[in-house]
Amino acid sequence: MDQASDFVVATRTALAQLTALGVQYSFSVIGAIILLILGWLVAGLLSRWVFNGLSHINGIDATLSQFFSNIVRYAALILVVVMVLGQFGVQTASILAALGAIGLAVGLALQGTLQNIAAGIMLLVLRPFRVGESIETGSVTGTIVDVGLFATELKTAEGVYRLAPNSTLWNVPITNYSRLASRRHEITISIGADENVDVTESKLIKLATADKRVLKSPAPAAFLSDFDAGSAKITLRYWIGSKQWWDVSRDMTKAVKIAFDKEPETETPQSSEEATA
């Protein structure tokens, strides 16, 4: 009889404790669910706010805006998870320390990747080149197809696809052939020492001004660039729109060659070209 009474008392005590624990943790679970829902909504709201704010800043790329908005969103969600764990009595200080150690380990393991991300952010902010522009670096030449956080896609003049890590583009000088509206081109020819320099210069300027694609300002110019005992070099310098530079420079070079090939009074001069960007 005493054993039955003790069993009943122990059962009632266990049920009472379970009920108390259930009530206690039910509130914690409900609070955690509410906190997760609110945290999810706040994280999304902060993400959209950051994206919209950065999108209105002139010069900030959409890729960069999305990147920072995602960072804010995930940071908010991590904070919410830590707060939820704190609802159940978990020591959040140890969790934060563990997250810091994990972040440090991942950063060391992905050092090269993080360099590309940092370079990608700087490229997207400073915009030394944009999609459709032609560039040249120490090892990369081509037209920009896409600029990402990790790498930049290019298309070479031969129609070859090239993917360049951002760190290789950020750490070297970049020549952008498309950024400015106009570019200069030069053609240098050799004439005999007894030929009239002024006549040759006038003929070169006339050829340049005859092409409507050659810019009127700055005006084309021709000058004596070098000479020796047997010959003289005359240089024609003129400006072209950047988009037409390749076609006009080649057409003008051909026109100069044909014009001096047809020179009736003098022996056909030996010509040479020097094209500078």
Side-chain angles (χ1 to χ4, degrees):
M1 188 70 179
D2 293 337
Q3 292 180 350
S5 300
D6 293 338
F7 177 77
V8 171
V9 172
T11 302
R12 290 178 178 177
T13 303
L15 290 175
Q17 292 176 348
L18 290 174
T19 302
L21 289 174
V23 172
Q24 178 183 355
Y25 281 102
S26 64
F27 284 111
S28 298
V29 170
I30 294 173
I33 294 174
I34 295 175
L35 191 59
L36 283 173
I37 294 174
L38 292 177
W40 183 273
L41 296 175
V42 170
L45 183 63
L46 289 175
S47 177
R48 288 192 296 272
W49 180 77
V50 171
F51 180 81
N52 293 331
L54 292 176
S55 298
H56 287 86
I57 299 177
N58 187 24
I60 299 296
D61 192 86
T63 303
L64 199 59
S65 301
Q66 187 64 46
F67 175 72
F68 282 118
S69 65
N70 287 337
I71 288 181
V72 171
R73 181 172 181 270
Y74 292 131
L77 290 177
I78 291 174
L79 181 61
V80 169
V81 171
V82 172
M83 294 174 62
V84 168
L85 293 176
Q87 287 286 105
F88 296 96
V90 178
Q91 295 296 326
T92 57
S94 59
I95 295 176
L96 293 176
L99 290 175
I102 293 173
L104 179 60
V106 171
L108 293 175
L110 301 177
Q111 186 175 3
T113 302
L114 294 178
Q115 287 179 351
N116 288 326
I117 294 176
I121 292 174
M122 297 304 297
L123 291 174
L124 290 170
V125 171
L126 297 180
R127 296 281 190 100
F129 47 76
R130 295 182 175 90
V131 174
E133 294 182 338
S134 298
I135 68 165
E136 179 181 356
T137 67
S139 59
V140 179
T141 302
T143 302
I144 302 298
V145 176
D146 184 54
V147 182
L149 282 174
F150 297 94
T152 297
E153 299 179 24
L154 302 98
K155 180 181 179 181
T156 67
E158 298 81 12
V160 178
Y161 172 84
R162 177 168 291 180
L163 183 68
N166 287 332
S167 59
T168 62
L169 299 176
W170 176 248
N171 294 324
V172 295
I174 298 174
T175 301
N176 190 328
Y177 293 111
S178 306
R179 178 57 55 89
L180 301 181
S182 60
R183 290 176 59 188
R184 194 182 71 190
H185 183 252
E186 292 182 356
I187 301 175
T188 300
I189 66 170
S190 296
I191 62 174
D194 57 341
E195 296 184 45
N196 193 311
V197 173
D198 292 333
V199 172
T200 304
E201 290 178 355
S202 299
K203 188 171 184 177
L204 288 173
I205 293 177
K206 184 178 180 180
L207 286 171
T209 53
D211 194 320
K212 296 182 179 179
R213 296 171 297 177
V214 174
L215 300 181
K216 306 302 180 183
S217 179
F223 54 90
L224 177 65
S225 56
D226 195 10
F227 69 93
D228 54 31
S231 65
K233 291 185 177 180
I234 310 296
T235 297
L236 171 66
R237 179 177 291 173
Y238 57 96
W239 289 79
I240 319 166
S242 295
K243 295 181 179 180
Q244 298 177 312
W245 187 90
W246 181 265
D247 294 333
V248 178
S249 62
R250 295 304 176 262
D251 292 345
M252 186 61 61
T253 301
K254 183 178 180 181
V256 170
K257 177 66 168 62
I258 294 174
F260 281 89
D261 279 345
K262 294 180 178 179
E263 180 66 48
E265 290 132 354
T266 61
E267 184 181 351
T268 302
Q270 183 180 3
S271 63
S272 63
E273 308 166 17
E274 291 179 4
T276 59

